[in-house]
Amino acid sequence: MGQAKLGDTVKVHYTGKLDDGTVFDTSVEREPLQFSIGEGLVIPGFEQAVVGMTPGESKRTNIPADEAYGPYRPELVMVVDKERIPTDVSVEVGQMLQISQSNGQAIPVVVTEVSDSQITLDANHPLAGQELIFDIQLVQID
């Protein structure tokens, strides 16, 4: 039974928590997460935590923001005039929307504030700027 290494396809169960203990995601009630180490499909700190684990092994790891979803970037918060939103779209705080960049690429944003004339949109990942805690169990290496 070997250790997980770069290039291996692995299956893991995990529970992700914030510093205050809030669970933001878990695979416990689902199929294990499968990914290939080194392909960049999961956050860097998570990949690094799995390297060296053996099937059946469990560990807890703290992942700093820089190895997770990056720092919170205030420049990704924008205020737009409400009139720029199509009239058939009702906008509420917490709602996810997509905006188009000048190159046509869609960016997901969260509505963080709504006034009579303006809407504040945040393009940061919801977990940006936060240290994440993961309980990881390596289920298998393919």
Side-chain angles (χ1 to χ4, degrees):
M1 208 183 279
Q3 293 182 322
K5 62 187 179 314
L6 188 65
D8 284 343
T9 298
V10 296
K11 290 183 180 176
V12 299
H13 272 301
Y14 66 90
T15 298
K17 300 176 186 173
L18 303 176
D19 278 339
D20 66 4
T22 302
V23 173
F24 62 84
D25 194 12
T26 184
S27 69
V28 173
E29 299 291 323
R30 306 186 306 251
E31 289 292 313
L33 171 67
Q34 178 175 312
F35 66 95
S36 294
I37 299 173
E39 287 188 356
L41 299 177
V42 298
I43 58 175
F46 191 93
E47 268 192 345
Q48 293 164 9
V50 174
V51 171
M53 291 180 72
T54 57
E57 182 180 354
S58 295
K59 74 189 297 187
R60 173 170 282 182
T61 187
N62 289 22
I63 301 174
D66 288 347
E67 294 175 25
Y69 294 99
Y72 185 84
R73 296 174 40 204
E75 68 271 17
L76 294 180
V77 176
M78 61 207 89
V79 178
V80 297
D81 290 332
K82 208 170 187 178
E83 63 193 32
R84 294 185 60 196
I85 304 296
T87 55
D88 61 335
V89 176
S90 65
V91 181
E92 301 173 2
V93 171
Q95 183 177 3
M96 295 285 296
L97 299 173
Q98 284 196 352
I99 59 172
S100 295
Q101 288 185 300
S102 56
N103 66 3
Q105 181 180 357
I107 298 176
V109 295
V110 175
V111 177
T112 58
E113 196 175 319
V114 178
S115 73
D116 289 338
S117 60
Q118 295 181 319
I119 299 170
T120 304
L121 305 172
D122 188 344
N124 282 286
H125 186 282
L127 297 174
Q130 299 199 52
E131 179 176 317
L132 307 179
I133 302 162
F134 280 96
D135 292 316
I136 302 171
Q137 178 190 23
L138 180 58
V139 176
Q140 76 183 59
I141 301 171
D142 290 332

